[in-house]
Amino acid sequence: MLESVDFSQQPLDKETYKQQRDELMSQLVVLQQQARAKGVGLVVLFEGWNGAGKGSRISDLMYHLDARATSVYVTENLDVKALDKFSGRPFGVRGMNPEMKQFWEALGSRGTCTFYDRGWYTTAVQHMLFEQFGELSLPEKQSHDGSITALRYYLDSCADFERQLVDDGYVIVKFFVHVTHKAQKKRLKQLHKDPATRWRVSKEKLADTGNYKEAYRLYDNLLEGTDFSYAPWHLINGEDKRRANLDIASTLVEAFRSALDAQQDPAAQAAAEKAQANSAGALSEMPLEGRTPEDEARILEAGEARARQDSARAPKVSRFRQVDHLLRVEDIAHDKVLDPEDYKAQLKREQARLNQLEMQMYQDRVPLILMYEGWDAAGKGGNIKRVAQALDARAYTIFPSPAPTKPELLHPFLWRYWTRLPKAGHVGIYDRSWYGRVLVERVEGFATSEQWTRAYDEINEFEQELVRWGAILLKFWVDISPEEQLRRFEARQLDPAKQWKITDEDWRNRDKYPQYKAAVNDMFRLTSTTYAPWIVLESDDKRFARVKALKIINDALELRLHEKA
């Protein structure tokens, strides 16, 4: 692709340039405000050579745009020495955080502009140059020696990130600012010679210009392999600053216009979402008190009809490989019990085992992610408490999932989990999780059918990223029978110390059991991947579920740590 950049064009005269630039900037300012009002997020990625002028191009834009709705993120340089600490880690643990985390965190909300001064592709090229990850044609075969074809997997993560943003209402514009080897060397030498700018060009960066030929080949292959229809590359002649500014501005104007033309009318969209939410809540409008058996039967029948309707919308199959034997709610056993005395002995033994494994896990920098979903009153909190009790308080974080805040609602639904991850060697425990999109948000109508149906793939992609980073990911479904749930609800209602745990909403959710059951079965069917399968904790007897969870966690840790040994 790089050979298509024309360096032979005559430079524009100052007057022509100023006239065209002023016109484009006036349009851009207006379009930014329109995009802000309609919630269109703009992500602008500047990639290119050192010394190509990426920073100057961004500065020119920032001077004109509304700073209140614009941010610039400068990508961290690859720390090769720090990566040495992770060499030989099992399953490719390559740093304290997933490679994409810095870009996830920097993402502005819909309605804002986020500029990335270098980004996820610079990171890929740095890896290729300094770690010899290999070519884009590497086979997708996962090894257990830490390499796991990291480049190919990383580029898959980049593609997933871009597609998810576009699906969520963002516009992605990718620029590659190109200069010849001769121009690069000249610019970097000038910067290094000037005491005021010498800090920008180290001797190492000057020496890197000797890698231009190899880097050119890598960049060219990278651009061709990531020129997606939903996020194409725009090649910019960095040697002609005036023409570069105009090409960039006109591309952004066109991107804004296309996005705004494609936007659904906000009033119509709000009305459709309100109608969906009202439809979802209609079943719970009947008062809880004074219901007759006929009323209960009618509610159940309506719930089953809605469950069939929702399941018909769910994807028929997943593009991700699922486990051979898929779970179903109706097949889960409810007779698993553990004798109280056996419980005490096994709990003590497994907690001591976890405590020892956690210290080794920390030293080996293995991230552990424990995710809990399940029925109301199933015992998630108690299960989490027994796990946390065995861990060093400095080594784990419990992440609850309350209703999303306004800033979270203005980002992709995964953003609040992208930004809340444990570091390598630490434990992240999620009391409910990203699966809210395909459970409560689906049933209650908080997400549109288009949003929750695409969420299965988005979740699978996110979990794949975590596993490829090197995390142990265990997904627990804490299950109880409807009869046991009713018993616990009634016990909470009568106990003043536990009444805070039960609300009218919990009772209303029982009316929607058919819908939630269908949603859980679809979740099992579409997200029980081979790399992150669902694990059922049969919790009609809480003691049994607690010990089972601890054993599964310990076995997973031992397997990983022994593989390294």
Side-chain angles (χ1 to χ4, degrees):
M1 288 181 67
L2 290 175
E3 72 279 359
S4 65
V5 177
D6 185 2
F7 292 108
S8 65
Q9 290 178 296
Q10 291 298 314
L12 293 171
D13 64 84
K14 187 174 181 179
E15 184 176 346
T16 301
Y17 165 68
K18 187 178 184 305
Q19 181 181 353
Q20 293 184 21
R21 188 194 65 171
D22 289 348
E23 183 179 344
L24 284 169
M25 289 303 175
S26 296
Q27 295 176 41
L28 200 54
V29 167
V30 173
L31 289 167
Q32 183 190 19
Q33 296 306 319
Q34 292 176 351
R36 188 178 183 184
K38 289 194 173 184
V40 176
L42 180 66
V43 172
V44 186
L45 176 64
F46 279 88
E47 298 282 12
W49 300 97
N50 289 329
K54 299 181 294 296
S56 298
R57 306 290 74 75
I58 294 172
S59 296
D60 187 72
L61 289 167
M62 289 293 293
Y63 178 79
H64 296 88
L65 294 175
D66 186 346
R68 297 169 299 176
T70 312
S71 61
V72 178
Y73 179 74
V74 181
T75 297
E76 300 171 4
N77 285 318
L78 183 68
D79 188 343
V80 179
K81 293 182 180 179
L83 284 176
D84 287 343
K85 299 177 183 178
F86 293 89
S87 61
R89 300 294 178 195
F91 284 79
V93 179
R94 305 205 57 78
M96 293 301 288
N97 296 293
E99 295 277 18
M100 293 298 294
K101 189 169 187 284
Q102 61 172 311
F103 308 117
W104 292 338
E105 290 182 329
L107 177 67
S109 63
R110 288 185 297 275
T112 67
C113 301
T114 308
F115 289 91
Y116 289 90
D117 182 359
R118 299 175 304 147
W120 34 101
Y121 295 108
T122 287
T123 300
V125 170
Q126 287 177 334
H127 277 305
M128 285 188 279
L129 287 173
F130 294 114
E131 298 187 80
Q132 291 80 48
F133 272 10
E135 299 298 330
L136 298 184
S137 59
L138 280 172
E140 292 210 41
K141 180 180 179 181
Q142 179 168 323
S143 64
H144 292 186
D145 63 359
S147 62
I148 58 169
T149 61
L151 174 62
R152 181 68 266 168
Y153 286 165
Y154 177 70
L155 293 179
D156 286 345
S157 297
C158 297
D160 293 341
F161 179 49
E162 292 176 19
R163 197 209 69 254
Q164 288 182 22
L165 291 184
V166 172
D167 288 344
D168 202 69
Y170 287 81
V171 177
I172 298 177
V173 181
K174 301 189 301 192
F175 293 115
F176 187 91
V177 186
H178 186 32
V179 293
T180 62
H181 189 196
K182 180 179 178 181
Q184 184 196 34
K185 286 196 296 184
K186 180 180 179 181
R187 289 186 181 185
L188 292 180
K189 285 180 178 179
Q190 287 175 342
L191 290 170
H192 186 71
K193 186 177 181 180
D194 187 344
T197 57
R198 184 172 299 158
W199 62 273
R200 294 172 54 186
V201 184
S202 64
K203 291 182 179 179
E204 290 78 10
K205 188 174 286 189
L206 278 175
D208 283 346
T209 60
N211 293 324
Y212 183 92
K213 186 175 181 180
E214 175 65 8
Y216 182 103
R217 184 180 63 84
L218 294 174
Y219 271 132
D220 203 44
N221 288 340
L222 188 67
L223 293 170
E224 289 185 2
T226 58
D227 191 33
F228 309 122
S229 59
Y230 50 85
W233 282 104
H234 301 275
L235 304 183
I236 302 298
N237 175 3
E239 296 184 18
D240 186 339
K241 297 178 181 179
R242 291 176 180 174
R243 199 176 296 279
N245 285 341
L246 294 182
D247 288 346
I248 290 167
S250 62
T251 301
L252 293 179
V253 166
E254 181 59 33
F256 266 136
R257 284 178 173 165
S258 297
L260 291 168
D261 289 344
Q263 276 285 297
Q264 181 178 345
D265 178 66
Q269 187 173 1
E273 292 174 356
K274 183 177 179 180
Q276 181 170 353
N278 290 341
S279 173
L283 296 174
S284 61
E285 290 178 357
M286 185 175 293
L288 296 171
E289 300 295 332
R291 291 183 181 178
T292 66
E294 290 77 13
D295 292 334
E296 297 287 354
R298 198 158 49 246
I299 291 171
L300 179 63
E301 182 181 357
E304 290 174 344
R306 175 63 189 275
R308 290 191 295 271
Q309 184 183 54
D310 283 347
S311 284
R313 294 193 182 104
K316 297 295 181 276
V317 294
S318 172
R319 64 182 176 86
F320 294 83
R321 184 180 175 186
Q322 306 295 305
V323 296
D324 292 334
H325 302 289
L326 294 173
L327 296 168
R328 295 193 311 163
V329 171
E330 50 268 42
D331 296 334
I332 297 174
H334 299 288
D335 58 352
K336 304 287 187 180
V337 296
L338 186 61
D339 178 80
E341 291 302 315
D342 287 344
Y343 166 69
K344 290 179 182 178
Q346 292 191 42
L347 179 70
K348 184 177 181 179
R349 182 170 63 249
E350 295 300 331
Q351 286 183 326
R353 185 181 164 205
L354 177 57
N355 184 263
Q356 293 298 310
L357 289 168
E358 182 230 328
M359 287 188 282
Q360 187 178 349
M361 179 196 86
Y362 176 78
Q363 294 177 63
D364 285 357
R365 290 290 186 260
V366 175
L368 175 62
I369 295 175
L370 307 175
M371 193 273 292
Y372 285 82
E373 290 286 355
W375 301 109
D376 292 334
K380 295 181 294 297
N383 205 296
I384 291 171
K385 183 177 181 180
R386 270 63 181 188
V387 172
Q389 193 175 29
L391 302 172
D392 187 316
R394 297 164 295 182
Y396 73 88
T397 304
I398 297 176
F399 300 99
S401 289
T405 63
K406 185 175 180 180
E408 289 168 348
L409 289 171
L410 291 173
H411 284 85
F413 86 97
L414 283 171
W415 182 77
R416 64 172 173 160
Y417 302 105
W418 287 344
T419 56
R420 295 172 188 168
L421 292 171
K423 294 183 293 186
H426 292 248
V427 184
I429 305 175
Y430 294 83
D431 185 355
R432 298 199 185 274
S433 69
W434 41 93
Y435 282 95
R437 175 55 57 111
V438 297
L439 293 175
V440 64
E441 292 186 36
R442 161 179 161 166
V443 173
E444 303 297 336
F446 299 144
T448 66
S449 57
E450 191 274 333
Q451 289 173 327
W452 64 256
T453 53
R454 75 166 189 260
Y456 298 103
D457 274 357
E458 293 173 341
I459 288 169
N460 287 333
E461 289 163 355
F462 176 46
E463 292 177 352
Q464 189 174 65
E465 173 74 7
L466 297 178
V467 173
R468 287 174 175 173
W469 165 43
I472 297 174
L473 173 60
L474 300 176
K475 303 182 332 193
F476 294 124
W477 173 258
V478 190
D479 193 82
I480 53 173
S481 67
E483 295 77 19
E484 176 61 18
Q485 184 189 57
L486 178 60
R487 189 195 68 75
R488 293 182 188 179
F489 274 19
E490 291 173 340
R492 289 179 176 183
Q493 197 83 53
L494 296 173
D495 185 348
K498 294 184 177 181
Q499 285 175 355
W500 63 272
K501 290 186 174 183
I502 187 76
T503 66
D504 284 349
E505 191 63 30
D506 294 324
W507 288 103
R508 290 191 182 95
N509 285 343
R510 282 180 58 83
D511 289 343
K512 300 173 186 175
Y513 177 80
Q515 295 153 266
Y516 275 105
K517 177 183 172 183
V520 172
N521 278 337
D522 284 336
M523 178 185 74
F524 286 159
R525 180 174 60 83
L526 295 166
T527 62
S528 289
T529 56
T530 54
Y531 54 84
W534 279 98
I535 303 164
V536 170
L537 301 179
E538 299 89 344
S539 194
D540 284 70
D541 178 0
K542 295 179 182 179
R543 294 185 293 266
F544 176 87
R546 291 166 185 170
V547 171
K548 180 177 179 179
L550 283 164
K551 287 181 177 178
I552 289 170
I553 294 166
N554 288 333
D555 289 347
L557 280 170
E558 281 191 347
L559 179 64
R560 175 66 63 84
L561 296 171
H562 288 167
E563 283 179 350
K564 179 179 183 296

